[in-house]
Amino acid sequence: MLKMFGGMIIGSMMTMMLLGGASAADQVLANVQTLYVDQVNRPNATTTLLLLVAISILMGALTLWPSKPLMHAKTFIKSLRRHCK
């Protein structure tokens, strides 16, 4: 998979250089930055709703997660006494 990803990167760079050189690469980067900033400033309502649902499920699961019961002080002291003798 890493080879395929590297091949895609190299292929896209070669295509940009053949089609327009540095000016084409600059234009592609400018388009990507514009789309990224636009996406960050205006998140989709569905994405926000799914994110809130996922966070609430995670928080609910964490609060209901079973915890190990604590040992009472007397039994803990007895077990320490047994091991110290």
Side-chain angles (χ1 to χ4, degrees):
M1 187 162 163
L2 190 58
K3 287 181 182 178
M4 188 171 69
F5 180 70
M8 289 170 51
I9 298 287
I10 292 171
S12 64
M13 287 175 58
M14 289 176 65
T15 304
M16 278 190 255
M17 293 307 286
L18 288 173
L19 291 179
S23 61
D26 289 339
Q27 185 63 36
V28 168
L29 285 176
N31 289 343
V32 168
Q33 286 175 346
T34 303
L35 288 174
Y36 178 74
V37 169
D38 187 42
Q39 183 73 23
V40 168
N41 289 338
R42 208 170 20 103
N44 194 355
T46 306
T47 306
T48 306
L49 182 64
L50 288 174
L51 184 63
L52 288 174
V53 167
I55 289 173
S56 63
I57 289 172
L58 179 67
M59 295 300 286
L62 287 177
T63 57
L64 297 175
W65 193 269
S67 61
K68 185 177 178 182
L70 296 175
M71 189 182 288
H72 295 292
K74 290 181 182 179
T75 56
F76 182 70
I77 292 171
K78 282 183 185 179
S79 66
L80 282 177
R81 285 182 186 158
R82 286 184 196 146
H83 291 293
C84 291
K85 288 183 179 182

